[in-house]
Amino acid sequence: MIVGVRHDDLRRQNRAMVIAAVRRAGQPSRTEIAAATALSHSTISTISASLIEERIVIEAGGSETAASRRGRPQVALGLNPGAASVVAVVLSLNALSATLIDYAGREIAQDVSRPSTLTLSRAELVEAVAAAVRRVLARAEAGAGPVLRMALGIQGITDSAARTLLWSPITPHSDVAFADALEAEFGVPATVENDCNMIAVALKGRAPQRYRDNFVAVLLSNGIGMGLMLRGSLFSGSRSSGGEFGHMTHIPDGALCRCGRRGCIEAYAGNYAILRHARGQGEDAPPAADIDDATMLELAQAARARPGREREAFARAGEALGFGLGSLFALIDPAPVALVGHGTSAFDMIEPAMRAALARTAGGRREAALSFDLEADETPLIREGCARQALAFVDHEIFAPGLAPAAEAAAPDYASRIA
């Protein structure tokens, strides 16, 4: 059976391919775009002319490529920073940031605050996020493009449609409809994303060769989280954000976890679990809500200095992580692993027990070949992942179909709009 392709669908697909090629390469020539997309030179010329006319793409001068050096200089294409902007919001325990980012991916303005997330009412928490967005929009530079998407990255479980925070250890409230509130106030499409999923999106964008098909990003912090890429696509559940690695069972009916259940990986590997064991507290002791980085650094130094509870606590954490990764790799085969967060500062105390446990699992048959990349600060990755998700939405859902705002419609005066 011959299946026809609508001209509009083909046009949208080709425009999306060209925009994606420009975003990946930065400032490619038309020849380089043709090589990357397998589209004909005439198609590239037609699409690029339209994108330039719509002020989505701009000509960025000569392209210093091998091809251009052999012949006449080729004109490079780049994304027009003023074509649009997006807002990336990161909400974690007692920390909130909102960042305005232009269409080329450059940060324009940022607002940072420290709301008491555990004590705020539901309405106050939503208002804190909205207020951060208001403040960052008020700082927009002249000529900034219209805001076309907002993405909120948050620790916890979000729904599969990325609209609502279902549960999070940073607030006592569940089912918080952040996206609805942001859209109602700002008139801009919004999404709510799991923080570890955004870390995985950022890592793939930064190092596409290493993080190409399957890979795992594990957050080592007060909680334990995971972002999972399978066959190049972000894994999420049918009802939730998925990838709740920290709440897989390590020991049935074991130590008390922040989620209220027992025996989770996090109840042994999270910062509160390491501190609990190092201080000789029982497994029923309530998990500490927040632990400063200095305390964890002191525990790691004590563990390095001498045998004792501190060293034992980090070994227990490594064991829980190793068994968890081994179970995962029994399902998906071993894959590159990025360990992210301040917990990586004690990786030397965690790694031996983690590798030993991993080697005892079905998924750890090739444990010796596994390497672990370390990223100490998760916040920039969460912000970058949110920005990439938001910009991808603009690329594919707004600009690829040709729905760009009219060229003469300059960015709104945000300061006057929200005054």
Side-chain angles (χ1 to χ4, degrees), residues 265-289:
I265 291 173
E266 181 182 294
Y268 295 86
N271 286 352
Y272 68 83
I274 295 171
L275 180 66
R276 181 167 59 187
H277 185 82
R279 290 185 172 173
Q281 298 173 345
E283 293 186 345
D284 293 337

Side-chain angles (χ1 to χ4, degrees), residues 216-270:
V216 177
V218 178
L219 177 63
L220 304 182
S221 185
N222 207 40
I224 302 296
M226 173 178 284
L228 179 61
M229 285 279 181
L230 296 178
R231 297 182 179 179
S233 297
L234 185 66
F235 173 79
S236 62
S238 59
R239 295 184 177 86
S240 71
S241 46
E244 285 300 316
F245 174 77
H247 299 291
M248 290 170 53
T249 300
H250 172 49
I251 297 177
D253 301 319
L256 179 63
C257 181
R258 284 189 306 173
C259 71
R261 291 180 286 271
R262 291 183 171 274
C264 299
I265 291 173
E266 181 182 294
Y268 295 86

Side-chain angles (χ1 to χ4, degrees), residues 46-128:
T46 300
I47 292 174
S48 61
S50 295
L51 294 175
I52 290 171
E53 183 180 358
E54 296 167 27
R55 297 176 62 182
I56 297 168
V57 165
I58 56 175
E59 292 186 334
S63 176
E64 293 296 324
T65 66
S68 68
R69 289 193 294 269
R70 288 195 296 269
R72 64 181 183 179
Q74 298 190 43
V75 176
L77 300 179
L79 299 173
N80 177 14
S85 59
V86 299
V87 176
V89 182
V90 179
L91 178 61
S92 56
L93 182 65
N94 300 333
L96 172 63
S97 68
T99 308
L100 183 65
I101 298 156
D102 69 23
Y103 187 57
R106 180 178 65 95
E107 293 185 6
I108 303 172
Q110 186 176 72
D111 180 85
V112 178
S113 57
R114 294 194 60 81
S116 178
T117 59
L118 286 172
T119 61
L120 292 180
S121 69
R122 179 191 302 269
E124 289 170 337
L125 185 62
V126 172
E127 168 57 22

